[in-house]
Structures are given as structure tokens and as C-alpha cells.
Amino acid sequence: MAKDPVTVTTNRRILLWSTATAVALLAGAGFTLSFSSLIDLAALSGIDRQLAFLWPLIVDGFIVVATAAAFALKGRSRRVTWYPWTALIFFSAISVIGNAVHATQVADVHIPIALATAVSSIPAIALLVATHLLVVMVDAHTSHTAVPAPSSKRPAAPSSDRQLVAAIQAAGKSGQPVTGKLVASLAGTSVRTGRRRLAVLREQFPNQLQKQTDTVEGA
């Protein structure tokens, strides 16, 4: 039995938002762990403990902002898109390296430094990946549900030769040259095809078209 389209759409939407919620929670978890490590690193680097929380906000916050900006500017020229992508790479590297450096300063002596560094880097990497994935999902959902814009402001092409002839006559009476280019614009075809079609229409409707096109035929 065929599935109800409404049910399929509803299930897809539920799955999308459920996944998006899970990704957002993972991003929040990664941010929280990375935030804690970067606060300690900022304090160890000499930043006032009361203000140290601002440093991870700047670093990890920029990851979120740069990711969203990169996708908001998707499709623009490289002169525009290089900036958010460069910022995303730069601050992601700072976050990962910062978490790794923090591990080398506070890791238990019984834990290998390499392992501690890798473990401490995971939250920053998870934040980057989760944020990127969340923006991709939102962008895909928006593109899927967006109402397509009209492809052209041109009136719909006539559905028959008689309607096309009537449109050509109306254009001729308004002062437009009756040419293959005009027919192409009315029928939604190439100029070459418009010329050929005009020649055929002249033969089919000599009384309607011949008088007008004898004096104004051009391109």
C-alpha cells in the first residue's frame, strides 16, 4: 500500500528536528568542556581569573559565528567567502591547540601526555563538527521547504500557434518590430528557432502576419 505523502513529510520533519536537537546538545556539551579547559588555560596564561571566561567565549564563540557566516555567504565569490572560512579555521585551530596545551599542564602523571592531549582536544573538535553539521542541516531544510521563485517575469508562452499569432499581432500593434527575436521571446525559444517559427507561421497565417512583417522584419 502506498504511503501517505503527508505522513512521510511529517516523519521526515520529526527526524530532522530530532537529529538537529541531538546535534545541538552535542555542540553544547563540546562547548562546555572546551570552555572549562580554555578558562584554565587563560588563567594560567596570566589573564585575570574573573575575566578568564571571556577568552573561551571569544575562541569557541567565533567557531559558531564563522560557521554560520560561511554558510550564509555560500554561493558568493571567493572575495567574500574566504574571510569566514579563514576565521573558522583559525579559531578552530586555537581551540584544539588550547585544549591540548591545557592537558599537558594539568594531566595526571599516570596518564600519557599524548593520550591526555587527544582526549582534551575532542571537545573542541566535537564543537566544530557539530556546529558545522547543524548549519548544514538547517540550510538543507530551508532549501527543501523554500518556495521556488519564478524563473522569469516573461508571460507564459502561448500554448498554440493561434495564441502565438495573436501575441505577435498585439506586439506589432504596440510598435514592436515583428522579428524572429520577438517570436523567440514570446515562445520561450532561441532566436534561431524564433526565426524559423516565424517563417512557418507566415505560411500558415498569411493574412494575419504577412502585412505586418513585410515592412518590419529584421533580426
Side-chain angles (χ1 to χ4, degrees):
M1 185 174 67
K3 294 183 178 179
D4 182 357
V6 176
T7 303
V8 173
T9 302
T10 302
N11 290 340
R12 176 188 175 90
R13 191 171 301 167
I14 292 174
L15 176 62
L16 175 67
W17 286 111
S18 298
T19 305
T21 300
V23 172
L25 291 174
L26 290 174
F31 181 88
T32 301
L33 291 176
S34 178
F35 185 86
S36 176
S37 296
L38 294 181
I39 282 184
D40 287 342
L41 183 62
L44 291 171
S45 300
I47 297 178
D48 190 313
R49 187 74 190 185
Q50 293 183 340
L51 299 177
F53 73 94
L54 294 176
W55 198 72
L57 281 180
I58 294 171
V59 175
D60 287 341
F62 234 108
I63 293 176
V64 178
V65 172
T67 302
F71 275 84
L73 297 174
K74 185 178 64 174
R76 301 286 296 274
S77 66
R78 288 187 179 182
R79 290 185 59 186
V80 176
T81 58
W82 75 268
Y83 182 69
W85 282 110
T86 301
L88 175 60
I89 294 171
F90 178 72
F91 282 97
S92 296
I94 290 178
S95 183
V96 173
I97 294 172
N99 277 271
V101 170
H102 175 262
T104 65
Q105 301 299 315
V106 300
D108 191 302
V109 293
H110 300 294
I111 300 176
I113 292 298
L115 177 59
T117 300
V119 171
S120 295
S121 300
I122 291 299
I125 297 173
L127 172 62
L128 171 63
V129 174
T131 302
H132 180 272
L133 181 58
L134 184 60
V135 173
V136 169
M137 293 179 65
V138 172
D139 180 69
H141 176 67
T142 302
S143 301
H144 179 74
T145 57
V147 178
S151 58
S152 172
K153 294 182 180 180
R154 181 188 303 163
S159 58
S160 70
D161 287 346
R162 291 188 181 279
Q163 288 178 315
L164 179 55
V165 169
I168 294 172
Q169 287 181 305
K173 290 179 181 179
S174 69
Q176 297 184 54
V178 180
T179 65
K181 185 175 182 179
L182 172 65
V183 176
S185 67
L186 292 171
T189 63
S190 67
V191 174
R192 179 178 298 180
T193 302
R195 290 172 182 163
R196 290 199 300 265
R197 190 161 187 188
L198 178 57
V200 173
L201 291 175
R202 277 178 167 182
E203 295 178 358
Q204 292 177 338
F205 304 93
N207 295 331
Q208 290 92 332
L209 294 178
Q210 192 64 45
K211 184 177 179 180
Q212 293 180 350
T213 58
D214 278 344
T215 57
V216 296
E217 177 60 20

